[in-house]
Amino acid sequence: MRIAVAGLGKIGLPLATQFASKGHQVVGVDVNPVLVDAVNQGREPFPGEANLGQKLAELVPGGVLHATTDYAEAIPEADAVVIVVPLFVDEATWEPDFGWMESATRSLAAHLSRGALVSYETTLPVGVTRGRWKPLIEQVSGLTEGVDFDLVFSPERVLTGRVFSDLRRYPKLIGALSPRGAARAAEFYQSVLDFDPRPDLPRPNGVWDLGSPEAAEMAKLAETTYRDVNIGLANQFALFAEHHGVDITQVIEASNSQPYSHIHRPGIAVGGHCIPVYPRLYLWGDPDATVVRAARQANMAMPAHGTALLRAALGGSLEGRTVAVLGASYRGGVKETAFSGVFPVVEELVRAGANVQVHDPMFSAEELAGFGWTPYTIGSPVDGVIIQADHPAYAGLRSADFPGVEALVDGRDITKADNWRGVTRLVIGQAQR
């Protein structure tokens, strides 16, 4: 097949690479010319995705994968078009911003060939595939869905850093507008993916047809919103445990020893492209979902809570105090700041009058300064430390690494208490150690 992939970001590029590795001719299209040039040179444009560099170095010189900034080059004659263009959410209103996706949809529709299968993999609010993208593609292309082309929603369900292994592990969900579209989508994804045996699943691992795009859209929102709600509950438990001098880690371990309890871990922030965003997409379609809204608000309040813990440990004021925030990434081991807790943590500290410096082993000092932060070097004097991301490099840190430190707020419970003797060490959901 000839396959076009629109959007060559941290999900789209590994997907394009996966498709090409199965023997198909793949062209990726992206608005970023620097990224496109890197791909066409067989170089990974961003670090941290297992096996991506090796695959690009093999597939690009082999002539089965290339990239372009021109939809007119990528889309015509494509048997399948897969869209992985970002959907943003307004921070203030929680409304989805369809701007980039609408632009990509118009561009692909203008060059769509008769007979193509169009698959949206970007997570969407329920009803958008049928109610927004179908009529837009028909209007721009002059083609009719179900007659001249087929449209399907098939959400990506992978985690950056391990995309290729996740593609094998999780069922590929599809929801089409017609039986013919469903059959074509199933055939397509079976030809570009491999699936690991999963005896734990109620049916064989592979392509799962959910019967409609609405069902597939909701499935993706449900699985990610569940995590946000669960973390919100864990954070509520953590605050209550702190008030009563209880160690929430022990409580969660005890509760989860019973097979019907699956409480997640509390922490200083919930970040990334998915968990903080998709509950808002769900709420856009279901504004009366009080449980979802309360959980999102509870998780958004945790950076302020972590800052309050440090303020109390430093005598009730952060005015003029030097504080190191460790971790710009939203999670450990990933060079990505999307919706990272570092932003609200730094904002809270600055609002409290602290002199804030930021450290992250995956970012250079110049990159950190590019965000407007003062870079921190471990070994420099500080009054307080907040661990925002659980990078493995932070696990072995000790108070001696931070001359003058009086208090640590470990927002990820990654440090060892014995390494911080003589310092007020606070972990969210635990009594002071």
Side-chain angles (χ1 to χ4, degrees), residues 147-398:
V147 177
D148 303 310
F149 72 96
D150 292 289
L151 182 60
V152 62
F153 179 71
S154 181
E156 55 85 7
R157 308 177 73 204
V158 297
L159 198 63
T160 54
R162 62 182 204 200
V163 171
F164 296 110
S165 60
D166 282 355
L167 285 172
R168 300 179 62 96
R169 177 164 176 76
Y170 304 129
K172 189 63 174 138
L173 309 182
I174 62 170
L177 276 72
S178 69
R180 189 186 81 169
R184 292 192 64 199
E187 181 181 12
F188 168 71
Y189 281 112
Q190 286 164 356
S191 75
V192 296
L193 299 176
D194 298 300
F195 297 96
D196 294 332
R198 288 282 305 277
D200 59 309
L201 296 177
R203 46 178 156 155
N205 194 9
V207 179
W208 288 13
D209 180 8
L210 299 192
S212 71
E214 289 80 11
E217 289 163 340
M218 186 171 179
K220 178 57 187 287
L221 294 179
E223 68 188 28
T224 47
T225 299
Y226 159 78
R227 295 177 65 192
D228 197 46
V229 170
N230 196 315
I231 295 169
L233 181 63
N235 281 328
Q236 295 266 288
F237 287 160
L239 300 184
F240 187 73
E242 288 176 8
H243 183 71
H244 288 276
V246 172
D247 184 340
I248 193 60
T249 302
Q250 290 187 356
V251 170
I252 291 174
E253 287 177 353
S255 299
N256 289 354
S257 67
Q258 200 263 11
Y260 303 106
S261 179
H262 309 281
I263 304 170
H264 290 1
R265 292 175 56 197
I268 195 167
V270 179
H273 293 282
C274 301
I275 302 179
V277 177
Y278 299 157
R280 304 180 198 191
L281 298 183
Y282 179 82
L283 286 165
W284 187 67
D286 186 7
D288 296 326
T290 55
V291 172
V292 176
R293 188 176 303 277
R296 182 85 296 269
Q297 292 169 337
N299 289 336
M300 291 174 65
M302 294 307 291
H305 176 68
T307 302
L309 290 177
L310 184 66
R311 181 190 297 112
L314 291 178
S317 175
L318 293 173
E319 189 70 38
R321 297 289 204 135
T322 299
V323 178
V325 177
L326 306 187
S329 297
Y330 76 87
R331 67 178 172 92
V334 171
K335 187 178 181 180
E336 177 60 72
T337 60
F339 293 90
S340 172
V342 69
F343 298 107
V345 168
V346 169
E347 288 175 6
E348 291 288 340
L349 290 169
V350 170
R351 189 178 296 117
N355 300 317
V356 185
Q357 300 178 24
V358 178
H359 176 274
D360 193 296
M362 304 195 75
F363 289 82
S364 68
E366 292 75 18
E367 288 173 321
L368 294 173
F371 287 100
W373 303 318
T374 299
Y376 175 73
T377 302
I378 292 178
S380 301
V382 292
D383 299 302
V385 174
I386 293 181
I387 296 181
Q388 191 284 133
D390 53 348
H391 289 305
Y394 293 156
L397 292 175
R398 55 185 66 238

Side-chain angles (χ1 to χ4, degrees), residues 89-162:
V89 175
D90 186 275
E91 274 293 287
T93 66
W94 292 16
E95 294 282 314
D97 178 358
F98 293 103
W100 282 29
M101 289 199 73
E102 180 148 340
S103 177
T105 298
R106 287 183 176 277
S107 296
L108 73 88
H111 302 286
L112 192 66
S113 295
R114 194 178 302 273
L117 171 71
V118 179
S119 176
Y120 282 86
E121 294 216 8
T122 303
T123 303
L124 297 172
V126 174
V128 168
T129 303
R130 186 190 303 271
R132 192 182 191 106
W133 303 139
K134 173 183 178 290
L136 182 58
I137 295 172
E138 290 181 330
Q139 173 194 343
V140 174
S141 69
L143 304 176
T144 300
E145 199 283 328
V147 177
D148 303 310
F149 72 96
D150 292 289
L151 182 60
V152 62
F153 179 71
S154 181
E156 55 85 7
R157 308 177 73 204
V158 297
L159 198 63
T160 54
R162 62 182 204 200

